[in-house]
Structure formats: C-alpha cells, structure tokens
C-alpha cells in the first residue's frame, strides 16, 4: 500500500484548501500575499507589515525515527545539540525533504504549523515554543511561502486539536543572549 492509499482524506497542500478547512472549523484568519520567502532573513521586511508572532518551523526526527514539527519565533535560537534532552528523545537531525513531503505533504521553504493536518497517522508531534505562544496572534505560511496567514493563538490551538494532535507548549528556544 503506498502513501496515497493510506490516507482517508486528501492531503491539503494548497492555500485555498487550507483556508476552506479553517472556515469549516469556524476559524477566522487574515491572509497577506507577498513575494516568495525562503528564510527568516528574507521575510524580515514583512514583519512590520503583518501582525503577530512570526514563525520559523523545523521538521526534525530523532535517531529512532520519532518526528517533530517545531514551531518557534522567527528569531528563536534552537540548540540542536541539546534539544533532544528537552524532548526526552534520541539525538535529533533535520528531516529529509522526501520524508517531509511524505509525512506532512509540504516541501522545504513552505513548512508551517498548518501542515500538521496532513499527519493523519499521528506520527509527527507538533511542539510550540512558549515565547511564541505569548503572542495573541501567530503568523504562519498557509501551505505556500507566497503568503502569510494570521491566526489567533487560541484558534491555532483549536486547529491543532481538530487535527487530532496534542498542543504541546514548552521552552524550545534558547534564552536571548546565550
């Protein structure tokens, strides 16, 4: 059985499909179009124009195959050498693009908190940095890096729960100045 046959529902890979699903969940958002951005540095100029806590997203897996989607503030520093201790797992590395595509239906450069909806087998744990979740609004790509969708923090949590995933908020980023 291949990946596509295992899914009960189609993978949501487009902005339009995601925004439709958010509407179905009763979640209001505002989406801003912009040129494609692939890095936090490239998106920096958007931060003053688009409200909310801006994110960077890391898809990582440990040596035993456990996978995580880390959603942190755009300027957060993550110590990949020690993060496994916080997560109580084996040593971590970045997930390969083909694994990212298979598990979350997304390509590098467009990873976002919303793509957790494509993990219907609950193999990926989504973790939010506690400092990011202090913002009332969170700014995420809507399955494409040519737009940013602003969602209320509580609605983002509602969305994650609607995908049958647990909302885990913890200190992932290193304190500023370290």
């Amino acid at each position: 059985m291949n990946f596509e046959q295992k899914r009960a529902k189609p993978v949501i890979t487009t902005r339009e499909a995601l925004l439709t699903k958010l509407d179905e969940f009763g979640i209001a958002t505002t989406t801003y179009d912009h040129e494609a951005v692939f890095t936090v540095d490239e998106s920096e100029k958007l931060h003053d124009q688009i409200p909310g806590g801006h994110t960077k997203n890391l898809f990582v897996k440990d040596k035993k195959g456990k996978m995580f989607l880390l959603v942190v503030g755009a300027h957060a520093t993550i110590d990949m050498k020690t993060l496994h201790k916080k997560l109580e797992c084996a040593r971590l590395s970045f997930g390969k693009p083909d694994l990212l595509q298979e598990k979350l239906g997304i390509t590098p450069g467009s990873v976002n908190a919303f793509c957790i909806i494509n993990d219907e087998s609950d193999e990926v744990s989504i973790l939010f940095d506690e400092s990011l979740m202090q913002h009332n609004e969170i700014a995420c790509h809507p399955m494409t890096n040519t737009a940013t969708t602003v969602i209320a923090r509580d609605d983002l949590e509602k969305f994650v729960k609607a995908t049958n995933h647990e909302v885990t908020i913890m200190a992932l980023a290193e304190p500023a100045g370290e």
Side-chain angles (χ1 to χ4, degrees), residues 156-174:
L156 180 57
E157 290 182 27
K158 176 181 173 182
F159 172 82
V160 171
K161 290 175 184 174
T163 69
N164 295 317
H165 287 81
E166 185 176 321
V167 174
T168 302
I169 301 170
M170 62 187 298
L172 297 170
E174 295 301 308

Side-chain angles (χ1 to χ4, degrees), residues 112-126:
N112 62 82
F114 298 122
C115 66
I116 198 66
I117 196 168
N118 292 326
D119 175 40
E120 292 186 351
S121 59
D122 297 327
E123 293 179 89
V124 180
S125 297
I126 186 167

